[in-house]
Amino acid sequence: MAVTGVVLAAGAAQRMGTQKLLLSHADGTILESTVGAMVASRVDHVVVVVGPNGWAMEQALTEVDATVVRNPDPSRGNMSSLLVAIELERDPDAFILIAGDLPTMDTTRIDALADLWNRDEPWAAVTEDQDRIAHPFLLSQLAIDEIRDTPGEKVLWRTLIDSGDPRVMRVDAPTDAPLDVNTPADYQRLRRQ
């Protein structure tokens, strides 16, 4: 059963005030660290969705084993980026999603969802950390077919968390959620780690 990993990297980074995904982290950038976790996982293929001006991000990922595609209008919300990735990947039975601003993402978290898919094939699943629900998320092709035309912002969050849909499985994680770098203060916290 094929699983594609999708890194959502088309956001405007308004709270940061600059393109946060290209900020320095480890031996590269925040985006490279995040994509690296997905590439190192047991997904079959990785797609990174960047915005219409994503040239610099594409350049940062030239040495990474992932396909980079552009969302021409990411203002339509995160579902629009997922649909761009799906148009590229016609065969997968499921997709594992992470946001591009999670440089401390652990590959074992992604593998836990890949293993869940291979074992149980749930409609969808989320990771329930010690402190909150966070990425990665898993969506079956059936789930995507059902929600693909849902309008508005935060479609994935509303579908997977806010809805309380009993078809969404929760995978317990033994740690707190990965650091989500949204603001200058988050970036400073990342640099201190």
Side-chain angles (χ1 to χ4, degrees):
M1 297 295 244
V3 179
T4 291
V6 178
V7 181
L8 303 171
Q14 292 174 332
R15 286 178 282 177
M16 180 64 77
T18 187
Q19 184 41 265
K20 63 184 176 181
L21 300 181
L22 296 175
L23 293 173
S24 176
H25 176 66
D27 294 330
T29 64
I30 287 174
L31 181 60
E32 287 173 280
S33 293
T34 305
V35 173
M38 187 68 90
V39 168
S41 76
R42 290 194 287 270
V43 299
D44 298 295
H45 183 234
V46 177
V47 177
V48 182
V49 184
V50 300
N53 300 316
W55 181 85
M57 284 186 256
E58 290 174 7
Q59 291 302 112
L61 297 173
T62 54
E63 301 298 317
V64 177
D65 187 19
T67 302
V68 181
V69 295
R70 292 189 190 195
N71 180 348
D73 185 10
S75 67
R76 296 174 297 148
N78 56 14
M79 191 65 190
S80 70
S81 288
L82 177 57
L83 292 175
V84 167
I86 289 168
E87 290 305 313
L88 182 71
E89 296 286 301
R90 300 243 178 230
D91 294 331
D93 302 294
F95 294 83
I96 294 177
L97 319 173
I98 60 175
D101 58 0
L102 302 171
T104 62
M105 176 61 66
D106 186 337
T107 299
T108 59
R109 298 167 61 83
I110 301 165
D111 288 342
L113 289 184
D115 293 344
L116 175 68
W117 174 256
N118 289 324
R119 186 178 62 244
D120 298 333
E121 297 182 23
W123 185 79
V126 297
T127 305
E128 188 159 18
D129 297 286
Q130 298 300 305
D131 58 340
R132 61 189 169 97
I133 294 173
H135 290 263
F137 300 150
L138 171 101
L139 286 132
S140 67
Q141 188 65 56
L142 289 173
I144 291 166
D145 289 345
E146 190 172 318
I147 67 171
R148 72 182 308 127
D149 296 323
T150 304
E153 291 286 316
K154 303 282 186 185
V155 170
L156 297 174
W157 189 265
R158 290 192 338 250
T159 299
L160 298 174
I161 292 100
D162 291 345
S163 71
D165 191 320
R167 296 175 294 176
V168 180
M169 294 182 70
R170 293 186 177 209
V171 175
D172 291 329
T175 61
D176 286 347
L179 177 61
D180 189 352
V181 180
N182 285 316
T183 66
D186 295 335
Y187 184 57
Q188 289 308 314
R189 190 159 51 123
L190 175 68
R191 291 176 61 94
R192 288 193 298 269
Q193 286 185 352

